[in-house]
Amino acid sequence: GTAPEDWMPLKPPEFYDSHAIDLRLGARVAAIDADARKLTLADGGSLGFDRLLIATGAEPLRLALGEAGEDVVITQVVPHFESDLPIVQSYRDALLALDAEAEPSFGSLEGYIATRILCRALESTSGEIDRESIINALEALGTFDIGLGVPLELGPEKHQACHEVWPTIIRGDRIVPLAWSQLTVPVTK
């Protein structure tokens, strides 16, 4: 791409080496023992740690809660990646075409939806594509539908396309879809 280097979220490998940071991109953690300051990796390996930063999301929360997470409700800014909504089906098809081994996630679905919105905006752009033309194109979208099950809206005063949240729940070792109608408040006497 042509984005300025200072836009990139990661530093070069030398930065992490010089600061004694062990950066593990894509590493899957099977268990965290905070008391022992130890991670057990999905491949069977283990790592000790002094400080630990975890990119948060529903799956790390499920792992951290363990059995105490059963029936914990987690809201998402995208539908569950097993949903039958058209945009989610399109995401799964694209993910499968890219990498048959890749597992769907809420984070990659969110990125896919954001990219689809950007592509939709760019379709109406003519001339040079720069920061200003992208902003103008996004703000010109108005109300639109990308198969999310709810209308989206962007405009000069509306910079958050969606105000919907979708509930999920931890069941066993999975995060599964949940309908709002399935939530009940216990009645106390």
Side-chain angles (χ1 to χ4, degrees):
T2 59
E5 191 168 328
D6 61 341
W7 286 11
M8 303 301 161
L10 296 176
K11 304 276 186 198
E14 306 81 48
F15 172 86
Y16 300 102
D17 292 340
S18 69
H19 289 84
I21 297 171
D22 186 3
L23 178 65
R24 302 283 180 119
L25 299 176
R28 293 186 179 265
V29 176
I32 301 170
D33 185 339
D35 293 331
R37 296 183 165 284
K38 179 182 165 188
L39 299 175
T40 302
L41 302 177
D43 66 6
S46 65
L47 295 170
F49 63 87
D50 177 32
R51 293 183 198 105
L52 178 64
L53 173 67
I54 300 172
T56 60
E59 194 57 25
L61 177 62
R62 183 191 67 77
L63 289 170
L65 292 176
E67 290 180 10
E70 187 70 17
D71 293 328
V72 168
V73 174
I74 306 167
T75 57
Q76 309 289 347
V77 297
V78 293
H80 196 282
F81 47 79
E82 294 175 356
S83 164
D84 290 332
L85 292 167
I87 189 77
V88 180
Q89 290 176 345
S90 176
Y91 154 76
R92 287 194 309 265
D93 291 345
L95 187 63
L96 181 63
L98 177 69
D99 180 354
E101 301 293 316
E103 294 192 24
S105 71
F106 295 105
S108 64
L109 174 57
E110 183 179 358
Y112 179 81
I113 292 169
T115 302
R116 289 284 301 270
I117 293 169
L118 176 62
C119 288
R120 185 181 188 120
L122 291 176
E123 288 172 355
S124 65
T125 305
S126 59
E128 184 179 345
I129 296 179
D130 58 16
R131 183 179 190 276
E132 204 58 39
S133 68
I134 292 171
I135 291 170
N136 291 338
L138 286 165
E139 289 179 344
L141 285 174
T143 302
F144 60 101
D145 178 11
I146 60 166
L148 197 54
V150 295
L152 304 181
E153 184 177 8
L154 287 172
E157 302 299 320
K158 296 186 179 196
H159 293 163
Q160 182 174 326
C162 184
H163 296 273
E164 186 81 16
V165 292
W166 288 264
T168 59
I169 191 166
I170 298 174
R171 293 277 162 79
D173 63 349
R174 297 188 63 228
I175 298 165
V176 298
L178 180 72
W180 286 114
S181 61
Q182 292 174 286
L183 291 174
T184 58
V185 178
V187 179
T188 57
K189 295 182 182 183

